[in-house]
Amino acid sequence: MLKDITIGQYFPGHSVLHRLDPRMKILLTIGYIVMLFTVSNPLGLGVGILFLIFAYAISKIPPKMITKSLKPVIPIIIFTTLLNMFFVKGDPLVDWWIFHISRQGLLTAVVMTIRIICLIAGTSLLTYTTSPITLTDGLERLMKPLKKIHFPVHELSMMMTIALRFIPTLIEETDKIMNAQKARGADLESGGVIQRAKALVPILIPLFVSAFRRADELALAMECRCYRGDVGRTRMKQLHYSWQDGVAAAVTVLCIGMVVVVNIFAPVVF
Amino acid sequence: MSVIKTEHLTHTYSQGTSYERAAISDINLEIEAGKMIGIIGHTGSGKSTLIQHFNGLLRPTEGKIYVDGEDIWEKPKEIRKVRFRVGLVFQYPEYQLFEDTVYQDIAFGPKNMGLSEEEIDRRVKEAALFVGLKDDQMEKSPFELSGGQKRRVAIAGVIAMSPEVLILDEPTAGLDPKGRDRILGQILEYHQEQKKTILLVSHSMEDVAKYTEQVLVMNHSRVDMFDDVEQVFSRSKEIEAMGLAVPQVSRVFLSLREKGWPVPQNVYTVERAKEALERIMQQGGKAHA
Ligand SMILES: Nc1ncnc2c1ncn2[C@@H]1O[C@H](COP(=O)(O)OP(=O)(O)OP(=O)(O)O)[C@@H](O)[C@H]1O
Ligand SMILES: [Mg+2]
């Protein structure tokens, strides 16, 4: 059950998308998201959807992973859809009791839903094809200019790397502790809210104790290997842009360009 | 009558995904009450998976488990009761301690059983005595103790529930030889005094040979042998073929036999080895005289 969590899940593979430079992937993903939310015409939205389908196809990520990544945001999607449907004013379509649905409202709801789905599917594609370590590495490099204003870029990315690294470990440990307490007769499944919250104590305390112990050990191990933060640190794996990154950028820019042209010349629909 | 019985017990982790694999398959066992049994097998052979079925922590994907003749999954709601009858001490159990004091931590199990205050107090003190915890340690925080002491608190926490069957998953992992002998000695004492069934998972053949009466050998998710210690270690060749070690003395005597010495086949502890060697030396001495 706990093992089903898929935050930042990485799908190892050898597709072109897997091999792209993480910085390029992050930038292109941002570009794609901006495009999604500026598009004002069905034609442009169609281009965006096709682009995403194309990207998933060459990444060889099984399509059922899209639905898996969408599952946790279904409530948000339903909420925004309903909100848009009932509260955007315009030409009335349905006017019954307290329900007023307008043509514009329905349109906005549909477009918004498509946008959110594309947004989640697009960013999931980024995490599916990029290992967490590479991803934070790319982020660190991209945010490097912020160091000029004393923003702790390296520290933040190190924190992210460590957090991502320890999520599976902690999940496994939680499972183990739960089993150990169940073996001593702990009742985790029945009772009211308060009783259930109380039943968590025997799990949370050992979990925290061991998380702190791990943190201590990790800090010591890093210190023993002379980790001093960012100062004078070099990398084993240097990031390099390759011709594939160029091609990916060109394709994405072409797609965004098409959407811009459509936005300018085609009638504004939403 | 057998305390624990399994029929075609099979467990597959992550069923229905690409990671699917059977951790144990088609296990048919009958464990007699009152025995002290060692469980050995190479890493990943399914020992921990098997024992977690005995107290209902894992539900079999196929097959049945009977405790005292009752199918434990007949009423899934009552599975908690099985856990009081079959106590399980996990590997590195010291990481499950959480209460303010050692006393309270040992009392966690008995409290969950819904016993009376006096009964809990009696059980806690008895369990502490069994594992050799001193009175002045009972009011300490469990986090102040040494690793070996924590381990004993954790074991006492399960013994305090007074289970009919006590299962321990590598209780001596990471302890020094003295600590190992002390903990195993105390478990043996508990077994002898209370006549409880004990299952001991161990990677140390010496410990298994020294402390247990029967041995269960797991190999590639199946039970390969389940017999008296003597019988099992007389098949040293097969055990070594599985990639497991046999007690060092066994190996010495095996090579002695191969070299044509008239030594018995069932030597697996140092004491027996001594006896056997003395006998030979006496006979040898007579021959020379
Ligand atoms: N929670 C789990 N999820 C998926 N697979 C598991 C899980 N626990 C164990 N396995 C797999 O089941 C198999 C048997 O594991 P098990 O822990 O029972 O072995 P073991 O005999 O106890 O090994 P060890 O001597 O290392 O403790 C292994 O291949 C392991 O990878
Ligand atoms: Mg194990």
Side-chain angles (χ1 to χ4, degrees):
Chain A
M1 76 213 132
L2 282 171
K3 292 205 175 77
D4 296 334
I5 297 172
T6 60
I7 311 168
Q9 201 184 36
Y10 170 54
F11 243 78
H14 300 284
S15 76
V16 185
L17 284 195
H18 284 86
R19 275 178 280 134
L20 287 185
D21 190 291
R23 291 170 293 177
M24 186 55 84
K25 278 191 271 191
I26 295 169
L27 289 177
L28 295 184
T29 308
I30 295 173
Y32 178 73
I33 293 170
V34 172
M35 180 201 88
L36 267 185
F37 282 85
T38 50
V39 65
S40 62
N41 183 286
L43 196 60
L45 200 59
V47 172
I49 296 172
L50 281 181
F51 178 76
L52 192 63
I53 293 173
F54 171 71
Y56 262 96
I58 58 172
S59 74
K60 302 213 176 69
I61 303 283
K64 74 164 192 258
M65 293 309 295
I66 304 180
T67 43
K68 210 171 170 189
S69 65
L70 285 175
K71 237 185 224 156
V73 288
I74 287 176
I76 301 179
I77 294 179
I78 293 177
F79 183 69
T80 47
T81 309
L82 289 179
L83 217 62
N84 278 309
M85 211 157 83
F86 289 113
F87 292 101
V88 173
K89 301 254 177 302
D91 319 332
L93 279 184
V94 178
D95 228 337
W96 179 73
W97 192 33
I98 51 166
F99 298 108
H100 314 285
I101 301 176
S102 65
R103 199 178 59 80
Q104 282 86 342
L106 201 61
L107 191 64
T108 322
V110 171
V111 172
M112 225 27 215
T113 309
I114 294 177
R115 275 179 178 153
I116 295 177
I117 290 177
C118 286
L119 169 77
I120 302 291
T123 42
S124 300
L125 186 59
L126 175 66
T127 53
Y128 285 152
T129 58
T130 321
S131 76
I133 305 287
T134 328
L135 195 62
T136 46
D137 203 12
L139 267 180
E140 181 179 353
R141 291 288 298 274
L142 279 177
M143 295 199 298
K144 218 170 182 179
L146 291 179
K147 252 190 232 164
K148 294 239 164 61
I149 55 166
H150 299 290
F151 187 79
V153 174
H154 173 78
E155 286 72 12
L156 268 185
S157 88
M158 184 53 93
M159 273 160 62
M160 259 173 71
T161 311
I162 293 174
L164 286 172
R165 157 67 185 77
F166 278 99
I167 287 174
T169 314
L170 284 181
I171 290 176
E172 196 177 300
E173 199 141 299
T174 315
D175 250 0
K176 244 192 225 159
I177 296 172
M178 273 167 79
N179 273 340
Q181 307 300 25
K182 273 196 216 158
R184 292 206 278 165
D187 188 2
L188 305 175
E189 273 117 30
S190 60
V193 179
I194 296 177
Q195 220 164 8
R196 278 186 193 216
K198 263 193 192 156
L200 283 182
V201 172
I203 292 159
L204 289 182
I205 292 181
L207 192 62
F208 273 102
V209 169
S210 105
F212 282 125
R213 184 178 47 82
R214 268 181 209 288
D216 250 358
E217 281 167 7
L218 182 65
L220 195 66
M222 285 167 81
E223 213 151 48
C224 288
R225 288 193 248 168
C226 302
Y227 177 77
R228 296 177 296 141
D230 201 14
V231 190
R233 191 169 155 81
T234 56
R235 304 190 165 272
M236 187 166 90
K237 287 201 182 113
Q238 299 275 356
L239 292 179
H240 291 294
Y241 287 116
S242 69
W243 61 269
Q244 287 161 330
D245 293 297
V247 173
V251 172
T252 314
V253 167
L254 190 73
C255 165
I256 295 177
M258 268 159 69
V259 172
V260 170
V261 171
V262 169
N263 270 353
I264 295 172
F265 293 104
V268 175
V269 180
F270 40 78
Chain B
M1 189 178 128
S2 51
V3 252
I4 294 179
K5 187 173 154 203
T6 69
E7 275 175 6
H8 307 292
L9 184 63
T10 299
H11 191 92
T12 311
Y13 283 108
S14 328
Q15 209 166 28
T17 70
S18 50
Y19 301 108
E20 174 177 320
R21 53 160 299 174
I24 52 172
S25 65
D26 195 23
I27 299 214
N28 300 288
L29 280 177
E30 279 199 42
I31 292 169
E32 263 176 78
K35 292 269 184 197
M36 180 132 174
I37 300 168
I39 301 181
I40 59 177
H42 58 80
T43 297
S45 56
K47 305 181 293 290
S48 304
T49 308
L50 177 66
I51 57 175
Q52 286 178 60
H53 281 89
F54 293 160
N55 74 339
L57 276 176
L58 287 177
R59 192 169 181 162
T61 43
E62 268 170 64
K64 290 212 154 74
I65 312 155
Y66 301 89
V67 173
D68 284 333
E70 282 172 46
D71 179 357
I72 62 170
W73 285 103
E74 204 166 85
K75 294 187 203 126
K77 287 238 161 73
E78 315 221 322
I79 197 70
R80 231 158 59 94
K81 296 216 175 94
V82 175
R83 299 188 185 141
F84 300 133
R85 284 195 279 167
V86 181
L88 175 57
V89 181
F90 276 86
Q91 208 173 356
Y92 295 103
E94 52 271 33
Y95 296 132
Q96 74 197 37
L97 304 178
F98 72 99
E99 285 280 14
D100 295 335
T101 67
V102 169
Y103 182 95
Q104 283 174 320
D105 211 290
I106 300 177
F108 180 68
K111 250 190 224 157
N112 285 330
M113 296 172 79
L115 300 174
S116 68
E117 288 289 326
E118 301 92 72
E119 181 65 12
I120 292 176
D121 187 63
R122 195 182 65 75
R123 294 241 185 138
V124 171
K125 290 198 170 126
E126 201 180 63
L129 198 68
F130 258 123
V131 298
L133 286 167
K134 293 187 197 72
D135 277 342
D136 62 319
Q137 285 169 335
M138 296 300 278
E139 290 309 315
K140 275 192 182 170
S141 156
F143 300 106
E144 288 171 20
L145 304 177
S146 78
Q149 288 167 332
K150 278 188 203 161
R151 178 88 47 104
R152 276 188 240 155
V153 175
I155 294 175
V158 175
I159 287 183
M161 302 196 300
S162 190
E164 280 165 62
V165 182
L166 177 65
I167 309 175
L168 301 113
D169 197 349
E170 294 190 48
T172 56
L175 293 185
D176 64 12
K178 227 180 183 170
R180 292 161 69 128
D181 274 342
R182 204 178 300 151
I183 283 191
L184 289 174
Q186 277 149 353
I187 291 166
L188 185 65
E189 218 170 277
Y190 175 74
H191 163 70
Q192 284 166 345
E193 277 181 32
Q194 307 254 333
K195 305 275 174 282
K196 307 274 185 181
T197 315
I198 309 250
L199 300 186
L200 179 75
V201 177
S202 177
H203 276 288
S204 158
M205 298 303 146
E206 268 77 19
D207 290 349
V208 169
K210 193 164 158 194
Y211 291 100
T212 63
E213 301 162 73
Q214 290 188 319
V215 185
L216 192 160
V217 185
M218 299 270 311
N219 190 22
H220 295 301
S221 9
R222 286 171 190 277
V223 172
D224 245 41
M225 305 178 198
F226 182 34
D227 215 333
D228 292 340
V229 185
E230 240 170 74
Q231 253 69 45
V232 168
F233 283 131
S234 67
R235 294 162 71 182
S236 301
K237 277 265 159 62
E238 288 164 63
I239 295 179
E240 284 187 329
M242 288 176 207
L244 294 170
V246 292
Q248 283 174 350
V249 217
S250 275
R251 204 152 44 190
V252 171
F253 272 71
L254 203 67
S255 12
L256 280 178
R257 267 181 81 82
E258 273 170 11
K259 294 219 166 79
W261 286 84
V263 289
Q265 197 171 21
N266 54 1
V267 176
Y268 49 88
T269 60
V270 179
E271 279 92 76
R272 285 208 178 196
K274 195 175 146 208
E275 280 168 32
L277 286 180
E278 273 172 357
R279 208 171 312 131
I280 291 174
M281 276 160 70
Q282 273 169 8
Q283 285 164 359
K286 271 178 209 145
H288 278 288

